[in-house]
Amino acid sequence: MRSGYTNFNTEVIVLKRRNFGDSDRIITFLSRDFGKVTYIAKGVRLPKSRKRGHLEPFSHARISTSGHDPSKMNVITEAQVMENFAEVKNNLTRSSFAYFIVECVLRLTQEHEENRELFDMTISYLRKLTKTAKLKNLRREFTIAIL
C-alpha cells in the first residue's frame, strides 16, 4: 500500500457524466460528505465493468474513491447503487423533471462545499417524483425549496 493512501466512502447522487477516452467516464456527484465533486470512473464503459450500472444519472449510490484531493482527479474504486429510481428513468415526463432537479443543483452549488441539507432534499424530491401524480405542484415546491 502506498504511503498516504486513503480510501474514502461516501453516499452520492449522480448529477452528470461524460465520456473520457475509450473506456472511462468523468462523473459529477452531489456527495453527502463533500458537496459537489467530480471523479473519474476508470473502465466503466467496458462491457464487463462491475461499476457500469451503478453510476447512472439520478442514481443514489455509495462509492469508494482513491482519495479526496480537490486539486486532483480522484478515481472511483467501488460503487454500489442504493436507489436507481427506475420509475423516473422509464418515464419521459418524470425523467425531464429529474434532469431539472440535477441541473438546479449543478448550477447553484460550488465544488467541494458540503451541504447535507441539500443532499437530503435532493434525495427526498427524487423519491417524491416516483410517487407524485401532480408534477407541476412538485416542481413549484422544489423550486421554492432550493432557492
Side-chain angles (χ1 to χ4, degrees), residues 81-110:
V81 73
M82 297 169 73
E83 295 174 87
N84 71 357
F85 300 106
E87 306 87 3
V88 173
K89 294 175 188 176
N90 295 328
N91 180 299
L92 185 59
T93 305
R94 292 178 191 281
S95 185
S96 64
F97 188 115
Y99 274 111
F100 172 75
I101 291 172
V102 298
E103 191 65 29
C104 288
V105 171
L106 281 165
R107 291 181 185 259
L108 296 173
T109 56
Q110 295 293 320

Side-chain angles (χ1 to χ4, degrees), residues 32-109:
R32 178 182 296 279
D33 301 313
F34 308 118
K36 184 170 73 173
V37 292
T38 302
Y39 296 126
I40 190 163
K42 297 263 186 194
V44 75
R45 292 171 50 208
L46 297 173
K48 293 184 180 182
S49 173
R50 290 186 289 163
K51 293 178 272 198
R52 186 178 184 115
H54 300 279
L55 299 172
E56 295 298 314
F58 324 129
S59 293
H60 176 208
R62 175 166 293 288
I63 63 168
S64 297
T65 65
S66 61
H68 180 68
D69 183 349
S71 66
K72 296 181 182 175
M73 182 62 71
N74 298 293
V75 177
I76 299 166
T77 55
E78 292 181 43
Q80 179 64 48
V81 73
M82 297 169 73
E83 295 174 87
N84 71 357
F85 300 106
E87 306 87 3
V88 173
K89 294 175 188 176
N90 295 328
N91 180 299
L92 185 59
T93 305
R94 292 178 191 281
S95 185
S96 64
F97 188 115
Y99 274 111
F100 172 75
I101 291 172
V102 298
E103 191 65 29
C104 288
V105 171
L106 281 165
R107 291 181 185 259
L108 296 173
T109 56

Side-chain angles (χ1 to χ4, degrees), residues 16-34:
K16 150 177 117 166
R17 65 184 189 170
R18 68 181 188 272
N19 294 341
F20 184 76
D22 291 336
S23 61
D24 305 335
R25 278 202 174 112
I26 295 175
I27 305 174
T28 303
F29 300 99
L30 180 62
S31 165
R32 178 182 296 279
D33 301 313
F34 308 118

